Amino acid sequence: MSYHLRKGEQRSEAFIKLNAQGLVPALEIDGYTLSQSLAIIEYLDEMRPDPALLPEDPVGRARVRALSMMIGCDIHPLNNLRVLDYLQTTFDAGDAGVATWFNHWVVEGFQALENRLISESETGLYCHGDTVTMADICLVAQVVNNRRFNVDMAPFPRITQIHERCLTLEAFQKAMPAVQPDAE
């Protein structure tokens, strides 16, 4: 079953039974309900390891987790729908103010991410090496979200290059918001 985020369906009684936080995602799988994107991705990597989303070596795994968390813990939480709504309703931030907030936190995070991706030898065709990892999943999701707020991606050529490469892959194409059942 799907719940429409922009319509607030994640706050419905039915969804709260799945995820007490009332946040997406929540994944019902293998008789369990899992929440939090990174936890879900790691579960899938452990239970359905083909393709692997984390490298086998501990240092590589740590690097991919760090890159993922730069996006999933440092950028995204400041720019998710409930934070942006709160800025508007509590602080009377108009659309321009919300866009300024969004852009500030993306740029700050992406500057650090871009620097890592261009300076570390572990970066390959993707964020880590030449296969898609959890970090690429996080990166693509954030870049797609950036489009709503017209984030200038010119200062981030490596991030843009990796994002565009990911979008050539069928799995990413199928995951795009525009092709989801609740797309507007």
Side-chain angles (χ1 to χ4, degrees):
M1 178 165 205
S2 66
Y3 294 85
H4 197 292
L5 183 64
R6 291 206 172 268
K7 293 180 181 177
E9 293 175 357
Q10 74 280 9
R11 291 185 292 273
S12 69
E13 186 177 326
F15 189 80
I16 296 295
K17 287 180 183 178
L18 291 176
N19 182 352
Q21 280 186 292
L23 300 174
V24 295
L27 175 65
E28 293 181 290
I29 188 169
D30 301 336
Y32 300 98
T33 301
L34 306 175
S35 63
Q36 293 292 339
S37 298
L38 296 177
I40 291 169
I41 292 169
E42 289 210 36
Y43 176 85
L44 293 172
D45 188 62
E46 292 167 3
M47 299 304 293
R48 291 163 178 80
D50 187 28
L53 298 173
L54 288 164
E56 288 186 23
D57 67 292
V59 173
R61 291 173 79 83
R63 181 175 184 269
V64 167
R65 285 182 176 118
L67 296 173
S68 301
M69 289 178 189
M70 289 175 76
I71 300 164
C73 299
D74 295 335
I75 299 171
H76 176 72
L78 296 168
N79 289 330
N80 69 30
L81 188 58
R82 71 181 179 153
V83 170
L84 301 179
D85 286 347
Y86 188 78
L87 288 170
Q88 287 184 315
T89 59
T90 304
F91 298 105
D92 294 323
D95 291 342
V98 169
T100 298
W101 169 277
F102 187 99
N103 275 266
H104 170 80
W105 294 113
V106 169
V107 168
E108 186 170 295
F110 270 19
Q111 285 172 340
L113 182 62
E114 180 79 7
N115 288 339
R116 286 197 69 175
L117 293 174
I118 62 174
S119 67
E120 296 176 358
S121 64
E122 297 87 354
T123 305
L125 295 173
Y126 299 99
C127 289
H128 185 85
D130 294 338
T131 59
V132 170
T133 66
M134 176 169 69
D136 301 293
I137 294 168
C138 294
L139 179 123
V140 168
Q142 185 60 54
V143 173
V144 168
N145 202 26
N146 291 354
R147 289 184 182 149
R148 291 186 310 127
F149 292 92
N150 299 312
V151 173
D152 179 10
M153 292 299 294
F156 313 112
R158 192 61 183 264
I159 289 172
T160 300
Q161 181 182 50
I162 292 169
H163 173 256
E164 289 173 357
R165 186 171 289 113
C166 288
L167 291 184
T168 67
L169 303 173
E170 183 181 13
F172 284 98
Q173 293 168 7
K174 287 182 175 182
M176 288 295 101
V179 299
Q180 300 313 305
D182 62 352
E184 294 177 355

